């Protein structure tokens, strides 16, 4: 009985450990990370160095997406924090050049990338070699509308 109980506990730990690990890593996976990867694929096609996925910038991009969701608007200027540069400054994130792409309605990172690639301004932003770090935020409202933010920072 004791051996059975110990075996059950070991199996339970082995089964639960990957779930805990997956939950811990979730914030660095999924559509946000996929959008950075797709951006880097597009940059590579244009001989532009890849962007580094930055946690702090991602946190701010998530705030921006959440704010757009809360107000139901698509707007580069934050009602609370101002421009992307002002937002980074307010949260003490080191910056030089700053750019941002936003989108609303696309339900996957591939759809967002297609929209941004087909827009001269958005594509130019993503291809700007001065940008070295990026963060992506995604927020989905109760009606299933997706709000995306890509913040680019460099030099």
């Amino acid at each position: 009985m004791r051996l059975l109980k110990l075996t059950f506990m070991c199996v339970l730990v082995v089964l639960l450990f990957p779930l805990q690990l997956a939950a811990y890593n979730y914030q660095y996976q999924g559509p946000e990370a996929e959008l950075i990867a797709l951006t880097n694929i597009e940059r590579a096609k244009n001989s532009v160095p890849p962007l580094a996925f930055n946690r702090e910038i991602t946190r701010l991009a998530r705030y921006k997406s959440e704010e757009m969701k809360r107000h139901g608007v698509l707007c580069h200027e934050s009602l609370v924090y101002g421009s992307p540069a002002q937002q980074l400054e307010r949260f003490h994130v080191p910056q030089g050049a700053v750019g941002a792409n936003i989108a609303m309605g696309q339900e996957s990172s591939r759809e967002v990338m297609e929209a941004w690639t087909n827009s001269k301004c958005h594509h130019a932003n993503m291809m700007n070699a001065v940008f070295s770090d990026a963060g992506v935020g995604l927020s989905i409202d109760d009606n299933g509308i997706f709000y995306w933010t890509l913040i680019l920072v460099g030099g």
Side-chain angles (χ1 to χ4, degrees):
M1 180 68 168
R2 194 173 207 205
L3 182 59
L4 182 61
K5 191 175 188 180
L6 183 58
T7 302
F8 174 75
M9 287 175 53
C10 288
V11 169
L12 186 61
V13 168
V14 168
L15 290 175
L16 288 179
F17 182 71
L19 295 176
Q20 291 172 343
L21 192 59
Y24 177 78
N25 288 327
Y26 175 73
Q27 62 183 332
Y28 309 113
Q29 298 175 355
E32 294 169 332
E34 183 180 27
L35 188 53
I36 293 287
L38 291 171
T39 302
N40 281 335
I41 289 168
E42 187 66 22
R43 284 170 69 96
K45 289 178 192 175
N46 291 276
S47 302
V48 181
L51 297 165
F53 187 73
N54 182 296
R55 290 183 209 167
E56 282 302 303
I57 299 170
T58 293
R59 182 172 65 99
L60 299 180
R62 287 175 178 165
Y63 287 160
K64 175 64 181 156
S65 291
E66 186 65 27
E67 179 186 41
M68 289 189 301
K69 175 186 90 172
R70 194 174 331 113
H71 297 286
V73 298
L74 183 67
C75 182
H76 282 280
E77 290 287 317
S78 167
L79 300 172
V80 177
Y81 305 111
S83 71
Q86 290 168 325
Q87 183 181 6
L88 291 165
E89 185 178 321
R90 182 168 181 172
F91 286 91
H92 309 290
V93 176
Q95 57 170 309
V98 178
N101 286 356
I102 57 175
M104 181 177 95
Q106 293 85 355
E107 295 183 3
S108 73
S109 52
R110 292 188 185 281
E111 289 178 25
V112 174
M113 180 54 64
E114 183 178 342
W116 287 343
T117 301
N118 291 326
S119 162
K120 287 183 181 179
C121 290
H122 290 99
H123 191 259
N125 229 8
M126 293 185 303
M127 295 306 109
N128 191 333
V130 75
F131 298 131
S132 58
D133 294 272
V136 173
L138 168 62
S139 189
I140 306 167
D141 74 10
D142 293 339
N143 296 315
I145 298 172
F146 288 56
Y147 294 84
W148 300 85
T149 303
L150 169 67
I151 298 176
L152 304 153
V153 176

